[in-house]
Protein backbone atom coordinates (compact mmCIF):
# COMPACT_ATOMS: atom_id res chain seq x y z
CA UNK A 1 0.00 0.00 0.00
CA UNK A 2 1.52 3.31 -1.04
CA UNK A 3 2.39 5.37 1.98
CA UNK A 4 1.87 8.70 0.27
CA UNK A 5 -1.27 8.38 -1.75
CA UNK A 6 -2.22 11.63 -3.49
CA UNK A 7 -5.92 12.29 -4.02
CA UNK A 8 -5.24 13.66 -7.47
CA UNK A 9 -3.31 10.63 -8.66
CA UNK A 10 -5.27 7.85 -7.03
CA UNK A 11 -6.16 5.23 -9.66
CA UNK A 12 -9.74 5.10 -8.40
CA UNK A 13 -10.37 8.55 -9.75
CA UNK A 14 -9.25 7.43 -13.19
CA UNK A 15 -11.77 4.66 -13.43
CA UNK A 16 -9.53 1.73 -12.61
CA UNK A 17 -11.00 0.75 -9.30
CA UNK A 18 -10.32 -2.73 -8.13
CA UNK A 19 -13.74 -4.29 -7.90
CA UNK A 20 -12.79 -7.62 -6.44
CA UNK A 21 -11.94 -7.65 -2.75
CA UNK A 22 -8.46 -6.22 -2.29
CA UNK A 23 -5.89 -8.15 -0.27
CA UNK A 24 -5.73 -8.06 3.51
CA UNK A 25 -3.96 -5.02 4.95
CA UNK A 26 -0.23 -5.26 4.47
CA UNK A 27 0.36 -2.89 7.36
CA UNK A 28 1.77 -4.50 10.45
CA UNK A 29 0.06 -3.79 13.73
CA UNK A 30 1.87 -3.45 17.04
CA UNK A 31 0.49 -5.85 19.58
CA UNK A 32 -0.92 -4.61 22.84
CA UNK A 33 -2.18 -6.46 25.83
CA UNK A 34 -4.90 -5.73 28.33
CA UNK A 35 -4.16 -3.55 31.29
CA UNK A 36 -6.96 -1.89 33.19
CA UNK A 37 -6.67 1.74 34.21
CA UNK A 38 -5.99 2.14 37.88
CA UNK A 39 -6.14 5.90 37.93
CA UNK A 40 -7.63 8.70 35.83
CA UNK A 41 -4.85 11.14 36.60
CA UNK A 42 -3.27 10.85 33.17
CA UNK A 43 -5.83 10.86 30.42
CA UNK A 44 -3.48 9.35 27.92
CA UNK A 45 -2.56 6.51 30.21
CA UNK A 46 -6.19 5.92 31.06
CA UNK A 47 -7.43 5.88 27.49
CA UNK A 48 -4.40 4.12 26.13
CA UNK A 49 -4.77 1.45 28.74
CA UNK A 50 -8.23 0.81 27.37
CA UNK A 51 -6.82 -1.84 25.10
CA UNK A 52 -8.43 -5.02 24.02
CA UNK A 53 -8.07 -8.33 25.74
CA UNK A 54 -6.91 -9.43 22.31
CA UNK A 55 -3.68 -8.33 20.67
CA UNK A 56 -4.27 -5.52 18.19
CA UNK A 57 -3.51 -7.85 15.29
CA UNK A 58 -6.01 -10.44 16.47
CA UNK A 59 -8.58 -7.72 17.11
CA UNK A 60 -8.18 -6.28 13.62
CA UNK A 61 -8.34 -9.68 11.97
CA UNK A 62 -11.51 -10.34 13.94
CA UNK A 63 -13.00 -7.01 12.81
CA UNK A 64 -12.16 -7.77 9.17
CA UNK A 65 -13.67 -11.26 9.38
CA UNK A 66 -16.76 -10.02 11.23
CA UNK A 67 -17.53 -7.44 8.53
CA UNK A 68 -16.51 -9.75 5.68
CA UNK A 69 -19.09 -12.19 6.97
CA UNK A 70 -21.92 -9.89 8.07
CA UNK A 71 -21.94 -7.00 5.56
CA UNK A 72 -23.93 -8.89 2.89
CA UNK A 73 -26.83 -9.72 5.19
CA UNK A 74 -26.85 -6.20 6.61
CA UNK A 75 -26.98 -4.71 3.11
CA UNK A 76 -29.75 -7.13 2.10
CA UNK A 77 -31.96 -6.11 4.97
CA UNK A 78 -30.86 -2.59 5.89
CA UNK A 79 -29.09 -1.20 2.83
CA UNK A 80 -25.69 0.45 2.54
CA UNK A 81 -25.61 2.49 5.76
CA UNK A 82 -24.23 0.39 8.62
CA UNK A 83 -25.02 2.77 11.44
CA UNK A 84 -27.79 3.86 13.79
CA UNK A 85 -30.72 5.95 12.64
CA UNK A 86 -31.53 9.34 14.20
CA UNK A 87 -35.04 9.77 15.61
CA UNK A 88 -36.76 12.63 17.39
CA UNK A 89 -37.32 11.46 20.98
CA UNK A 90 -40.89 10.29 21.47
CA UNK A 91 -41.66 10.29 17.74
CA UNK A 92 -43.84 7.58 16.26
CA UNK A 93 -41.51 5.10 14.59
CA UNK A 94 -43.15 3.22 11.78
CA UNK A 95 -41.57 0.15 10.22
CA UNK A 96 -40.53 1.87 7.04
CA UNK A 97 -38.78 4.81 8.66
CA UNK A 98 -35.44 3.31 9.46
CA UNK A 99 -33.46 3.91 6.29
CA UNK A 100 -34.66 7.51 6.31
CA UNK A 101 -33.51 7.72 9.93
CA UNK A 102 -30.02 6.60 8.87
CA UNK A 103 -29.87 9.40 6.32
CA UNK A 104 -31.12 11.75 9.05
CA UNK A 105 -28.16 10.61 11.18
CA UNK A 106 -25.78 11.75 8.43
CA UNK A 107 -27.62 15.06 7.96
CA UNK A 108 -27.88 15.78 11.70
CA UNK A 109 -24.16 15.06 12.11
CA UNK A 110 -23.29 17.54 9.36
CA UNK A 111 -25.64 20.09 10.89
CA UNK A 112 -24.19 19.58 14.38
CA UNK A 113 -20.70 20.22 13.02
CA UNK A 114 -21.84 23.30 11.09
CA UNK A 115 -20.75 22.05 7.68
CA UNK A 116 -21.44 24.71 5.09
CA UNK A 117 -23.92 24.10 2.26
CA UNK A 118 -22.47 27.04 0.36
CA UNK A 119 -20.78 25.72 -2.83
CA UNK A 120 -17.68 27.85 -2.16
CA UNK A 121 -17.16 26.52 1.36
CA UNK A 122 -18.57 23.03 1.37
CA UNK A 123 -16.13 20.10 1.67
CA UNK A 124 -14.37 19.11 -1.54
CA UNK A 125 -12.15 16.35 -0.21
CA UNK A 126 -13.50 13.89 2.33
CA UNK A 127 -12.10 10.83 4.08
CA UNK A 128 -14.49 8.20 5.45
CA UNK A 129 -12.60 6.45 8.23
CA UNK A 130 -14.11 3.00 8.80
CA UNK A 131 -16.30 3.28 5.70
CA UNK A 132 -18.29 0.03 5.76
CA UNK A 133 -19.64 -0.49 2.25
CA UNK A 134 -19.44 3.23 1.60
CA UNK A 135 -22.98 4.48 2.28
CA UNK A 136 -21.75 7.74 3.84
CA UNK A 137 -19.07 8.31 1.20
CA UNK A 138 -21.42 8.03 -1.73
CA UNK A 139 -24.03 10.18 0.01
CA UNK A 140 -21.50 12.90 0.88
CA UNK A 141 -19.84 12.78 -2.55
CA UNK A 142 -23.23 13.34 -4.21
CA UNK A 143 -24.39 15.97 -1.76
CA UNK A 144 -21.27 18.10 -2.01
CA UNK A 145 -19.90 17.08 -5.42
CA UNK A 146 -16.84 16.09 -3.39
CA UNK A 147 -14.14 13.48 -3.80
CA UNK A 148 -14.20 10.91 -1.06
CA UNK A 149 -11.81 8.17 -0.02
CA UNK A 150 -12.92 5.44 2.35
CA UNK A 151 -10.90 2.96 4.38
CA UNK A 152 -12.02 -0.24 6.06
CA UNK A 153 -10.32 -3.32 7.45
CA UNK A 154 -12.68 -5.61 5.53
CA UNK A 155 -11.65 -6.59 1.99
CA UNK A 156 -15.22 -7.67 1.24
CA UNK A 157 -16.52 -4.23 2.25
CA UNK A 158 -13.92 -2.37 0.19
CA UNK A 159 -14.73 -4.49 -2.86
CA UNK A 160 -18.48 -4.03 -2.45
CA UNK A 161 -18.13 -0.29 -1.79
CA UNK A 162 -16.15 0.15 -5.03
CA UNK A 163 -18.63 -2.00 -6.97
CA UNK A 164 -21.56 0.11 -5.75
CA UNK A 165 -19.69 3.32 -6.60
CA UNK A 166 -19.04 2.02 -10.10
CA UNK A 167 -22.62 0.90 -10.58
CA UNK A 168 -23.86 4.31 -9.45
CA UNK A 169 -21.52 6.24 -11.76
CA UNK A 170 -19.43 7.56 -8.89
CA UNK A 171 -16.12 5.84 -9.65
CA UNK A 172 -14.47 9.16 -10.47
CA UNK A 173 -15.53 10.62 -7.14
CA UNK A 174 -15.27 7.90 -4.51
CA UNK A 175 -12.80 5.15 -3.87
CA UNK A 176 -12.32 2.55 -1.14
CA UNK A 177 -9.41 0.52 0.06
CA UNK A 178 -8.31 -1.72 2.89
CA UNK A 179 -6.26 0.34 5.32
CA UNK A 180 -5.85 0.92 9.04
CA UNK A 181 -7.35 4.05 10.57
CA UNK A 182 -4.44 4.11 13.01
CA UNK A 183 -1.93 4.31 10.12
CA UNK A 184 -3.83 5.99 7.34
CA UNK A 185 -2.32 5.81 3.85
CA UNK A 186 -2.70 9.55 3.28
CA UNK A 187 -0.32 12.49 3.51
CA UNK A 188 -0.87 15.17 6.15
CA UNK A 189 -3.38 18.02 5.74
CA UNK A 190 -5.54 16.47 3.00
CA UNK A 191 -9.21 16.50 3.83
CA UNK A 192 -11.79 19.27 4.39
CA UNK A 193 -13.99 16.75 6.16
CA UNK A 194 -12.75 13.80 8.21
CA UNK A 195 -15.72 11.54 8.84
CA UNK A 196 -15.82 8.63 11.26
CA UNK A 197 -19.32 7.17 11.56
CA UNK A 198 -19.42 4.41 14.18
CA UNK A 199 -15.88 3.16 13.70
CA UNK A 200 -14.16 4.77 16.71
CA UNK A 201 -15.45 2.10 19.07
CA UNK A 202 -13.29 -0.45 17.22
CA UNK A 203 -10.05 1.50 17.76
CA UNK A 204 -7.74 -0.03 20.36
CA UNK A 205 -5.62 3.11 20.75
CA UNK A 206 -7.85 6.19 21.00
CA UNK A 207 -5.02 8.77 21.23
CA UNK A 208 -3.48 7.38 18.06
CA UNK A 209 -6.86 7.27 16.34
CA UNK A 210 -7.56 10.92 17.18
CA UNK A 211 -4.02 11.94 16.19
CA UNK A 212 -4.46 10.32 12.78
CA UNK A 213 -7.83 12.04 12.24
CA UNK A 214 -6.18 15.37 13.03
CA UNK A 215 -3.09 14.64 10.92
CA UNK A 216 -5.03 13.97 7.71
CA UNK A 217 -7.45 16.90 8.19
CA UNK A 218 -6.67 19.97 6.11
CA UNK A 219 -6.01 23.19 8.04
CA UNK A 220 -9.47 24.61 8.73
CA UNK A 221 -11.01 21.18 8.05
CA UNK A 222 -13.72 19.63 10.18
CA UNK A 223 -13.56 16.31 12.02
CA UNK A 224 -16.77 14.46 12.91
CA UNK A 225 -16.69 11.38 15.12
CA UNK A 226 -19.97 9.60 15.83
CA UNK A 227 -19.31 6.73 18.18
CA UNK A 228 -20.30 4.49 21.06
CA UNK A 229 -18.88 5.64 24.38
CA UNK A 230 -19.32 4.60 27.97
CA UNK A 231 -20.84 7.14 30.35
CA UNK A 232 -18.61 9.86 31.74
CA UNK A 233 -17.14 8.91 35.10
CA UNK A 234 -18.08 10.94 38.17
CA UNK A 235 -15.44 13.06 39.94
CA UNK A 236 -14.83 10.42 42.58
CA UNK A 237 -14.92 7.44 40.22
CA UNK A 238 -11.84 5.77 38.82
CA UNK A 239 -13.64 3.23 36.67
CA UNK A 240 -17.06 1.90 35.75
CA UNK A 241 -18.91 -0.32 38.19
CA UNK A 242 -18.04 -4.04 37.82
CA UNK A 243 -21.53 -4.86 36.49
CA UNK A 244 -21.20 -2.11 33.89
CA UNK A 245 -17.80 -3.35 32.79
CA UNK A 246 -19.17 -6.88 32.58
CA UNK A 247 -21.99 -5.76 30.30
CA UNK A 248 -19.58 -3.90 28.02
CA UNK A 249 -17.17 -6.85 27.95
CA UNK A 250 -19.90 -9.11 26.59
CA UNK A 251 -20.65 -6.58 23.84
CA UNK A 252 -16.92 -6.15 23.11
CA UNK A 253 -16.51 -9.85 22.74
CA UNK A 254 -19.29 -10.19 20.15
CA UNK A 255 -18.52 -7.04 18.13
CA UNK A 256 -14.72 -7.06 18.21
CA UNK A 257 -14.39 -3.93 20.30
CA UNK A 258 -11.51 -3.02 22.59
CA UNK A 259 -12.36 -1.28 25.86
CA UNK A 260 -14.41 1.87 25.57
CA UNK A 261 -13.75 5.45 26.56
CA UNK A 262 -16.14 8.26 27.48
CA UNK A 263 -17.23 11.26 25.45
CA UNK A 264 -15.21 13.57 27.67
CA UNK A 265 -12.12 11.43 27.01
CA UNK A 266 -12.54 12.22 23.31
CA UNK A 267 -13.01 15.90 24.06
CA UNK A 268 -9.82 15.93 26.14
CA UNK A 269 -7.90 14.19 23.36
CA UNK A 270 -8.98 16.81 20.82
CA UNK A 271 -8.21 19.59 23.32
CA UNK A 272 -4.74 18.17 23.88
CA UNK A 273 -4.10 18.60 20.13
CA UNK A 274 -5.36 22.21 20.18
CA UNK A 275 -8.38 21.60 17.99
CA UNK A 276 -10.95 24.41 17.84
CA UNK A 277 -14.71 24.66 18.22
CA UNK A 278 -14.89 21.29 19.97
CA UNK A 279 -18.51 20.26 20.49
CA UNK A 280 -19.88 17.06 21.96
CA UNK A 281 -23.44 15.79 21.96
CA UNK A 282 -25.27 12.92 23.61
CA UNK A 283 -27.67 11.38 21.10
CA UNK A 284 -28.53 8.31 23.15
CA UNK A 285 -32.21 9.20 23.21
CA UNK A 286 -32.21 9.87 19.49
CA UNK A 287 -31.10 6.34 18.65
CA UNK A 288 -33.35 4.47 21.09
CA UNK A 289 -35.70 2.97 18.44
CA UNK A 290 -32.83 1.55 16.40
CA UNK A 291 -31.90 -1.74 18.10
CA UNK A 292 -35.50 -2.82 18.68
CA UNK A 293 -36.00 -2.34 14.92
CA UNK A 294 -32.88 -4.38 14.09
CA UNK A 295 -34.08 -7.16 16.39
CA UNK A 296 -37.50 -7.11 14.73
CA UNK A 297 -35.88 -7.38 11.30
CA UNK A 298 -33.79 -10.35 12.49
CA UNK A 299 -36.97 -12.08 13.60
CA UNK A 300 -38.63 -11.89 10.18
CA UNK A 301 -38.41 -15.00 8.01
CA UNK A 302 -35.92 -13.31 5.66
CA UNK A 303 -33.84 -11.99 8.54
CA UNK A 304 -33.82 -15.26 10.41
CA UNK A 305 -32.88 -17.46 7.43
CA UNK A 306 -30.20 -15.01 6.25
CA UNK A 307 -28.77 -14.96 9.75
CA UNK A 308 -28.60 -18.73 9.92
CA UNK A 309 -26.76 -18.79 6.58
CA UNK A 310 -24.39 -15.95 7.43
CA UNK A 311 -22.01 -17.55 9.91
CA UNK A 312 -21.14 -17.83 13.57
CA UNK A 313 -19.67 -14.36 14.05
CA UNK A 314 -22.84 -12.72 12.73
CA UNK A 315 -25.07 -14.94 14.85
CA UNK A 316 -22.98 -14.14 17.92
CA UNK A 317 -23.38 -10.43 17.10
CA UNK A 318 -27.14 -10.82 16.79
CA UNK A 319 -27.38 -12.53 20.15
CA UNK A 320 -25.97 -9.56 22.04
CA UNK A 321 -28.26 -6.98 20.43
CA UNK A 322 -30.50 -6.89 23.53
CA UNK A 323 -27.42 -5.93 25.58
CA UNK A 324 -27.04 -2.76 23.53
CA UNK A 325 -30.60 -1.82 24.48
CA UNK A 326 -29.86 -2.63 28.12
CA UNK A 327 -26.65 -0.58 28.03
CA UNK A 328 -28.43 2.46 26.61
CA UNK A 329 -31.38 2.13 28.99
CA UNK A 330 -29.19 1.79 32.06
CA UNK A 331 -27.08 4.77 31.05
CA UNK A 332 -23.84 2.81 30.65
CA UNK A 333 -23.63 3.27 26.87
CA UNK A 334 -23.79 6.71 25.32
CA UNK A 335 -24.26 7.41 21.66
CA UNK A 336 -21.94 10.36 21.16
CA UNK A 337 -21.01 12.88 18.51
CA UNK A 338 -17.84 14.92 18.76
CA UNK A 339 -17.04 17.58 16.17
CA UNK A 340 -14.15 20.03 15.94
CA UNK A 341 -12.03 22.05 13.55
CA UNK A 342 -8.33 21.93 12.83
CA UNK A 343 -6.85 25.42 13.13
CA UNK A 344 -6.35 27.14 9.79
CA UNK A 345 -2.72 27.89 8.99
N1 LIG B 1 -19.08 3.99 8.75
C1 LIG B 1 -19.75 2.88 8.11
C2 LIG B 1 -19.45 1.52 8.75
C3 LIG B 1 -19.58 1.39 10.25
S1 LIG B 1 -19.16 -0.26 10.76
C4 LIG B 1 -21.21 3.15 8.03
O1 LIG B 1 -21.67 3.99 8.80
O2 LIG B 1 -21.90 2.55 7.21
C5 LIG B 1 -17.48 -0.05 11.36
C6 LIG B 1 -16.44 0.09 10.26
O3 LIG B 1 -15.20 0.44 10.87
C7 LIG B 1 -16.16 -1.17 9.43
O4 LIG B 1 -16.10 -0.81 8.08
C8 LIG B 1 -14.77 -1.60 9.90
O5 LIG B 1 -13.99 -2.28 8.94
C9 LIG B 1 -14.17 -0.25 10.21
N2 LIG B 1 -12.97 -0.30 11.06
C10 LIG B 1 -12.87 -0.77 12.32
N3 LIG B 1 -11.59 -0.64 12.76
C11 LIG B 1 -10.89 -0.07 11.74
C12 LIG B 1 -9.53 0.31 11.57
N4 LIG B 1 -8.62 0.14 12.53
N5 LIG B 1 -9.17 0.85 10.40
C13 LIG B 1 -10.08 1.04 9.39
N6 LIG B 1 -11.37 0.69 9.50
C14 LIG B 1 -11.78 0.15 10.66
Amino acid sequence: MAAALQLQTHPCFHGTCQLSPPPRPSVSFPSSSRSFPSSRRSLSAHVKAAASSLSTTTLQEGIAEFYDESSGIWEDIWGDHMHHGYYEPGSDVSGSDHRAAQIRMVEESLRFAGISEDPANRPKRIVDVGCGIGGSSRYLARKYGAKCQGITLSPVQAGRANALANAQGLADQVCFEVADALNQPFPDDQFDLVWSMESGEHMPDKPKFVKELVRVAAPGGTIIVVTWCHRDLGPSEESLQPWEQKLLNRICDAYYLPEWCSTSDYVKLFQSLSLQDIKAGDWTENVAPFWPAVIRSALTWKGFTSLLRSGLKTIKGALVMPLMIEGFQKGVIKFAIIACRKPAE
Side-chain angles (χ1 to χ4, degrees):
M1 194 160 310
L5 197 61
Q6 295 292 342
L7 264 179
Q8 297 79 0
T9 58
H10 194 282
C12 288
F13 298 135
H14 299 280
T16 55
C17 259
Q18 190 182 1
L19 296 181
S20 55
R24 295 240 173 238
S26 55
V27 280
S28 60
F29 305 119
S31 59
S32 64
S33 55
R34 185 177 205 123
S35 76
F36 286 101
S38 56
S39 150
R40 295 191 72 234
R41 257 168 286 160
S42 149
L43 168 104
S44 247
H46 162 66
V47 180
K48 207 160 193 162
S52 165
S53 56
L54 308 164
S55 76
T56 303
T57 311
T58 314
L59 172 71
Q60 298 201 338
E61 282 171 3
I63 293 170
E65 284 164 12
F66 175 72
Y67 286 108
D68 279 358
E69 188 187 290
S70 62
S71 295
I73 165 174
W74 183 271
E75 185 186 355
D76 248 13
I77 295 171
W78 278 79
D80 62 350
H81 287 263
M82 304 181 68
H83 57 81
H84 285 70
Y86 182 99
Y87 308 82
E88 287 310 328
S91 63
D92 178 31
V93 181
S94 75
S96 60
D97 263 342
H98 303 295
R99 289 191 188 201
Q102 289 177 310
I103 298 299
R104 213 153 47 234
M105 173 62 72
V106 175
E107 285 293 341
E108 288 295 328
S109 302
L110 297 169
R111 201 151 69 103
F112 183 86
I115 301 295
S116 174
E117 301 271 331
D118 169 7
N121 295 323
R122 63 194 184 187
K124 294 170 188 68
R125 298 162 305 166
I126 300 172
V127 63
D128 186 354
V129 180
C131 60
I133 58 169
S136 292
S137 294
R138 287 184 299 276
Y139 185 85
L140 295 170
R142 271 199 202 95
K143 180 179 170 79
Y144 296 124
K147 292 207 163 175
C148 187
Q149 283 179 264
I151 56 173
T152 169
L153 290 178
S154 155
V156 168
Q157 286 189 329
R160 181 66 185 148
N162 280 323
L164 286 170
N166 238 22
Q168 295 170 16
L170 286 169
D172 284 349
Q173 265 178 277
V174 298
C175 180
F176 304 93
E177 64 185 300
V178 173
D180 181 12
L182 301 182
N183 286 295
Q184 296 185 31
F186 309 118
D188 300 353
D189 301 331
Q190 285 289 293
F191 300 103
D192 308 318
L193 175 58
V194 177
W195 176 265
S196 166
M197 175 59 73
E198 296 193 40
S199 64
E201 54 271 23
H202 284 296
M203 306 299 164
D205 185 338
K206 306 297 190 221
K208 191 156 186 218
F209 172 53
V210 166
K211 215 167 152 193
E212 273 295 87
L213 299 178
V214 173
R215 181 183 69 76
V216 300
T222 301
I223 299 170
I224 301 178
V225 177
V226 177
T227 189
W228 309 359
C229 286
H230 68 61
R231 67 172 174 82
D232 285 341
L233 297 182
S236 60
E237 280 184 310
E238 294 199 340
S239 61
L240 294 173
Q241 301 294 313
W243 71 266
E244 294 176 312
Q245 193 57 61
K246 203 170 148 197
L247 177 71
L248 297 190
N249 286 348
R250 289 174 64 194
I251 294 171
C252 289
D253 187 42
Y255 292 144
Y256 296 89
L257 307 176
E259 279 204 41
W260 306 32
C261 70
S262 68
T263 313
S264 61
D265 286 330
Y266 269 110
V267 169
K268 285 179 201 155
L269 285 171
F270 282 115
Q271 281 169 341
S272 73
L273 297 173
S274 305
L275 274 281
Q276 296 176 337
D277 302 334
I278 303 171
K279 285 171 71 181
D282 176 357
W283 285 357
T284 309
E285 277 191 45
N286 301 92
V287 299
F290 181 74
W291 286 100
V294 178
I295 292 173
R296 277 197 302 278
S297 70
L299 294 176
T300 60
W301 180 248
K302 183 180 175 190
F304 189 65
T305 50
S306 313
L307 196 56
L308 287 183
R309 279 198 303 269
S310 61
L312 274 180
K313 288 188 163 64
T314 314
I315 294 170
K316 202 170 158 196
L319 289 174
V320 301
M321 292 191 298
L323 296 184
M324 287 299 294
I325 299 176
E326 186 181 340
F328 281 135
Q329 283 178 347
K330 292 189 169 163
V332 188
I333 303 178
K334 296 290 176 188
F335 191 88
I337 177 164
I338 304 102
C340 54
R341 201 160 43 80
K342 183 165 169 176
E345 272 168 350

